[in-house]
């Protein structure tokens, strides 16, 4: 009893010890630098990626000295990543690069937002060029214009650009002791900057939440934000799908005519619609037979379903059976 009380008291004391957010992490790392449009989004994307230790956004790829957001010169908005090559490979980071930005890859953009890979060693150059070749095959006949160049000087962006999503949660940022310097170097800040908008998902956050040095309230807050972001994403996805289906139906039934503006789209929609219609016709009889077989199985108790559904089917079956009997009787009387 005494031992139990002692253990309980010790546990309570441990719970009351202030959490120390994991800002510094002493792990060997390699740098990677990418330009993929506005750097706010990729800061969150890579920040919550497994194996990424730190991120910072800034300007690179040009020749202008001491660039700033209002005077960027010939530089590009980029993200500089410190990653653990034992946990995430350069190829993995390139997959995220290619799959998470479109503008600038095949469409010419102003240099500020261009698609850019800056390599830090010969191995990265070879991997980057091979990945671009592979991506070109996937995107043909579009021509990839992503540039690959050696990494030169990196100029950190102004503090208000660093961990932009996290800084919007002022109480959380203050609670983890986020300072101007830590915006560029903090491990936990990089992770939270992604998790707060649902990057990498709730499951991954739960797996490492205890390692980030957050309080219980902070963990719950991030959990709630992550869930909210994921729910919003799913809702937007459903809305997008419904709109796409509605537009496709309108095109198929020629309520919306896009033959002149987008003939390929119109042709695809009509072919797909005809295919679906033919498929339904071909399988309609099978569907009826399957439904009858299923109803018979439920009627004779071979398959058990919800009681109300079973009663309804049995009631309908009894009526059909009596109707058949009455019909046969009248035929025999005649």
């Amino acid at each position: 009893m005494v031992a139990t009380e002692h253990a309980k008291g010790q546990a309570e004391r441990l719970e009351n010890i202030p959490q120390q957010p994991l800002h510094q992490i002493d792990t060997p790392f390699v740098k990677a630098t990418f330009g993929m449009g506005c750097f706010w989004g990729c800061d969150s994307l890579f920040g919550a990626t497994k194996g990424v230790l730190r991120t910072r956004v800034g300007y690179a790829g040009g020749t202008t000295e001491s660039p700033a957001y209002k005077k960027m010169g010939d530089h590009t908005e980029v993200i500089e990543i410190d990653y653990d090559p034992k946990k995430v490979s350069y190829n993995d980071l390139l997959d995220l690069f290619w799959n998470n930005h479109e503008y600038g890859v095949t469409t010419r953009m102003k240099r500020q937002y261009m698609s850019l890979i800056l390599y830090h060693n010969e191995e990265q150059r070879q991997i980057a060029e091979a990945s671009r070749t592979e991506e070109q095959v996937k995107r043909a006949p579009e021509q990839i214009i992503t540039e690959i160049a050696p990494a030169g000087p990196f100029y950190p962006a102004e503090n208000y650009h660093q961990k932009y999503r996290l800084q919007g949660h002022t109480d959380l940022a203050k609670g983890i002791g986020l300072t101007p310097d830590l915006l560029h170097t903090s491990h936990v800040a990089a992770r939270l900057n992604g998790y707060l908008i649902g990057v990498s998902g709730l499951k991954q956050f739960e797996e490492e939440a205890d390692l980030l040095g957050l309080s219980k309230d902070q963990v719950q807050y991030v959990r709630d934000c992550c869930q909210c972001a994921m729910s919003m994403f799913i809702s937007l996805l459903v809305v997008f799908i419904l709109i796409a289906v509605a537009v496709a139906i309108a095109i198929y039934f020629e309520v919306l005519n896009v033959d002149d503006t987008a003939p390929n789209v119109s042709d695809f929609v009509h072919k797909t619609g005809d295919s679906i219609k033919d498929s339904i016709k071909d399988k309609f009889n099978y569907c009826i037979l399957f439904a009858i077989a299923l109803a018979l199985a439920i009627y004779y108790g071979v398959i058990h379903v919800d009681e109300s559904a079973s009663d309804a089917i049995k009631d309908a079956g009894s009526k059909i059976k009596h109707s058949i009997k009455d019909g046969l009787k009248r035929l025999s009387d005649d």
Side-chain angles (χ1 to χ4, degrees), residues 19 22 205-214 216 219 223:
Q19 296 292 314
L22 185 61
F205 171 68
E206 298 285 10
E207 289 173 353
E208 73 165 330
D210 291 340
L211 305 175
L212 296 176
L214 303 174
K216 288 184 177 180
V219 168
R223 183 184 292 125

Side-chain angles (χ1 to χ4, degrees), residues 97-322:
F97 170 82
W98 293 117
N99 293 327
N100 286 277
H101 77 296
E102 282 297 327
Y103 54 91
V105 178
T106 57
T107 305
R108 186 70 59 184
M109 303 290 293
K110 64 178 182 177
R111 191 162 184 85
Q112 177 181 355
Y113 297 125
M114 70 181 290
S115 179
L116 177 66
I117 300 172
L118 297 176
Y119 58 85
H120 291 265
N121 53 50
E122 179 60 20
E123 182 184 17
Q124 284 190 355
R125 182 190 69 79
Q126 293 178 7
I127 294 172
E129 290 183 349
S131 74
R132 183 174 61 181
T133 300
E134 184 179 335
E135 195 67 22
Q136 179 60 71
V137 173
K138 295 178 186 176
R139 294 178 183 246
E142 291 183 299
Q143 186 65 38
I144 287 181
I145 57 175
T146 299
E147 290 189 14
I148 299 175
F154 171 84
Y155 300 92
E158 296 79 355
N159 285 337
Y160 68 88
H161 287 301
Q162 308 292 338
K163 311 301 176 291
Y164 184 79
R165 308 299 181 189
L166 173 57
Q167 289 199 70
H169 299 261
T170 52
D171 288 342
L172 179 61
K174 183 179 179 181
I176 65 171
L178 199 59
T179 64
D181 287 341
L182 288 174
L183 284 169
H184 302 255
T185 61
S186 171
H187 174 69
V188 66
R191 309 305 283 171
L192 296 181
N193 192 53
Y195 286 135
L196 285 167
I197 61 169
V199 175
S200 294
L202 183 60
K203 182 181 178 183
Q204 183 178 301
F205 171 68
E206 298 285 10
E207 289 173 353
E208 73 165 330
D210 291 340
L211 305 175
L212 296 176
L214 303 174
S215 69
K216 288 184 177 180
D217 288 343
Q218 289 168 342
V219 168
Q220 187 58 50
Y221 179 81
V222 177
R223 183 184 292 125
D224 291 343
C225 289
C226 187
Q227 287 177 322
C228 181
M230 292 168 66
S231 297
M232 187 178 296
F233 172 77
I234 292 171
S235 298
L236 290 173
L237 182 62
V238 170
V239 169
F240 174 79
I241 291 171
L242 290 174
I243 292 173
V245 170
V247 170
I249 291 172
I251 293 172
Y252 183 77
F253 289 104
E254 298 182 355
V255 176
L256 179 64
N257 192 330
V258 295
D259 290 345
D260 296 331
T261 55
N264 291 337
V265 173
S266 179
D267 186 53
F268 172 77
V269 169
H270 281 92
K271 284 182 178 178
T272 304
D274 289 340
S275 176
I276 293 171
K277 188 167 65 174
D278 292 341
S279 178
I280 291 173
K281 282 182 179 179
D282 293 341
K283 294 178 174 60
F284 186 67
N285 292 334
Y286 294 108
C287 290
I288 292 175
L289 290 173
F290 177 77
I292 292 172
L294 182 62
L296 287 171
I298 294 171
Y299 180 78
Y300 287 105
V302 178
I303 296 176
H304 297 281
V305 294
D306 179 76
E307 189 174 333
S308 58
S310 179
D311 289 344
I313 290 172
K314 287 181 178 179
D315 183 53
S318 295
K319 289 179 180 178
I320 293 170
K321 186 167 67 173
H322 290 311

Side-chain angles (χ1 to χ4, degrees), residues 15-34:
E15 284 186 0
N16 292 328
I17 294 175
Q19 296 292 314
Q20 297 297 321
L22 185 61
H23 290 300
Q24 306 303 329
I25 184 165
D26 187 19
T27 302
F29 65 90
V30 178
K31 285 187 182 295
T33 306
F34 303 119

